[in-house]
Amino acid sequence: MENENLENKPNVKKSNLRNYDENPLIIVDNTEKVIRNSIILIICLICLAVIKDFLFDGRINSMQMAMCFTFVILFRKAEAKLYKNAVIYFYNDKIIKVVDDKIFAEFEPKSILKITKTISYSLPIFYPTPNDFATKSAVVVFFIILPILGLFVAPLQTIIIAISVFFILILPQIIFHFGKNVEILHDMIFIQSKNGLFFNFLLSSQDDYNELKSYFKIKANKNLDNAEKKISVWFDISEQDLKIQKQFIDRK
């Protein structure tokens, strides 16, 4: 898409600025492709475990590993529904994300509350309440306490799990961005409006980033370069936000 005087320079006449109603910024969200890469890598890990057990009689129980990763695949497939044929349209006075021909979120750029760059594309829609104490405790146990204990009790298994997590969460994004001039890790843009609606999407190219940067500067007076970077926005979304989002989608 042609870049037509997108910088919000003081000496640029308003009439020369891009009209986003006539020429909207359209970004295709390729998160579904990253999830597909993740599922393929999980299947490869299962196959490697089975081969290791079959040929070398290793200590890894391939059936247990396959069952665990099968649940991960099911979660990934559920998450993929949030990004099926996803496209984001940026107009002068509204931003719309469409998922599988249905509007997922819609709000004005001036109503944007926060813009965050994240590593994870997971949103707490298919999961328990993100700010529930039990959920937070489970995250702390799973990601902090168990790995520390594992290094003392079963270091080899802990290292294998860590490598598996890398294969599942990080490597798919690296593969997708290979050869492209775009940030590999903090490649998900999360946007939330003041009315509670939110969505995220994958940055697929530097051109998309430059276009977004100009749009947010002009229409929302926000600098994308200064957006906060996080591993995940999981705990930024409240139970009330989820209810608002669900009600909006159901109405559409």
Side-chain angles (χ1 to χ4, degrees), residues 8-119:
N8 191 24
K9 296 180 181 179
N11 61 343
V12 176
K13 293 183 179 180
K14 187 175 180 180
S15 60
N16 290 334
L17 293 177
R18 175 174 175 173
N19 186 331
Y20 287 94
D21 288 336
E22 296 179 356
N23 184 23
L25 170 58
I26 302 174
I27 293 182
V28 176
D29 185 359
N30 288 303
T31 306
E32 188 179 13
K33 293 182 179 179
V34 173
I35 295 175
R36 193 182 306 134
N37 289 343
S38 175
I39 292 174
I40 292 172
L41 288 173
I42 293 171
I43 294 173
C44 290
L45 283 174
I46 294 173
C47 292
L48 286 174
V50 172
I51 292 172
K52 186 179 187 299
D53 273 3
F54 182 75
L55 295 180
F56 304 103
D57 192 25
R59 294 182 179 179
I60 300 175
N61 189 315
S62 58
M63 291 303 297
Q64 292 179 355
M65 183 176 180
M67 290 177 62
C68 292
F69 280 135
T70 297
F71 285 110
V72 176
I73 290 175
L74 293 176
F75 282 128
R76 286 288 179 262
K77 293 189 72 174
E79 288 176 324
K81 294 179 181 179
L82 296 177
Y83 305 99
K84 185 177 181 181
N85 302 319
V87 182
I88 305 93
Y89 300 89
F90 296 85
Y91 298 98
N92 287 328
D93 298 316
K94 62 182 177 181
I95 303 172
I96 303 173
K97 179 169 184 178
V98 177
V99 178
D100 204 19
D101 296 326
K102 186 174 182 179
I103 296 179
F104 182 83
E106 178 180 348
F107 46 79
E108 297 180 351
K110 63 182 180 182
S111 72
I112 293 176
L113 178 65
K114 66 172 69 172
I115 302 174
T116 309
K117 299 175 182 177
T118 73
I119 296 175

Side-chain angles (χ1 to χ4, degrees), residues 115-118 183 186 225-232:
I115 302 174
T116 309
K117 299 175 182 177
T118 73
E183 187 169 357
H186 292 91
D225 288 342
N226 296 334
E228 184 180 9
K229 292 185 177 181
K230 290 187 174 183
I231 294 176
S232 172

